Amino acid sequence: MRQLAFASTGPVCLPHRPAFPGGQGGAVRFQRLTAKSGASHTVAEKLQRVIPNSLQRVECLNRMDAPNKGVHTVREQGEDRMAPRQAPTIRQRRFGAELRRLREAAGLSAPRAAELLGTDRTTISNVEAGRFGISEQRLRRLASIYECDDPELVDALAAMTGGRKAGWWDEYRGKVPPDFLDVAEVEFHACSLRTLQTAHIPGIFQTGEHARALFDLFIPALPRLEVELRIAQRLSRHIVITRERPATYGGLIHEAALRMQVGGRQPARAQLEHLLKESERDNVTLRVIPFSSGGFPMAGDSILYASADSPHLDTVQVDSPTGAVFFDSPTQLSNFRRRLDAVEQVALNAQKSRDAILEIIRNV
């Protein structure tokens, strides 16, 4: 702390401002001081008399955007820039990863890219890590610097810039595991979804009773409140199928998952009847992998392939014992598409799959 003396109020402590990429200090909030005489003055008014004009040109804000759930922003040269994020979401990390690929494809180092953009290396690194957001204007400048000739990709990236709007899943932040929220965000922003399930009913189509039976199997047991929160969050994911512009859904489900009576006969029957009804939607195609198909790629895995407006921004999520794992490199995406295509070759068509589900219902 440094002190400046003012006649009417005595010493005033000035907080040190943390360094901010780009050379500016962090946002500073000036609080009012009340003199003994009862007159009220702001520190900002007093500082204008002692701070050089060169420093007064820096506009510092500490503005809260309601949709951003507490994200502070700093305005610089007519542009809003997000302050460092403590925990970037999967979509924010995905945005940064694609910018890094574009920079590397252009053969530019981070310092050189920063120089051409008129900023510093730290800013480029933080943007690529998802810790900073950038405006659409800067995104398009970067795309030009990186000589990206894919307008579809640039437009898709531009749609991811600016302040982040809160999604329905943010209501559950801090209440359910973070990867639950990441999966919901990936699904919500996808234009189409492909899944492979060999042991479970797809989460988007699970009934509340089925989901509760699954969560009750956890060891050690989950607190009852957390179970109910997880169920509510899982049921809410169904919105991607029913919204005004729904995602198209292609699901591959092994016969083993259909025959497993999770929660008992009645819950299992209700789950299959719900699944059968969902398969009749125009944007939903469910295909059963019968026992008779034998082996197939990714047997035993649980896969989600989320397609974006640009194929470069597709994302794959795979379940693991420790949580969701995400893949987004071009080679990985290509391999997952090929594997899913191969599994489709051994699956029943849509009508035969519905017949198979109906037959299993009769025998439950």
Side-chain angles (χ1 to χ4, degrees), residues 13 150 175 188 218-219 242 262-263 278 311 341:
C13 294
D150 187 340
K175 302 173 183 176
F188 186 82
F218 275 49
I219 298 175
T242 61
V262 177
E278 291 293 320
D341 290 343

Side-chain angles (χ1 to χ4, degrees), residues 128-148:
E128 292 180 354
R131 290 189 292 269
F132 277 2
I134 59 175
S135 68
E136 178 178 349
Q137 178 184 3
R138 280 204 169 188
L139 178 277
R140 294 189 181 277
R141 284 175 59 195
L142 274 177
S144 177
I145 291 171
Y146 297 159
E147 299 182 351
C148 177

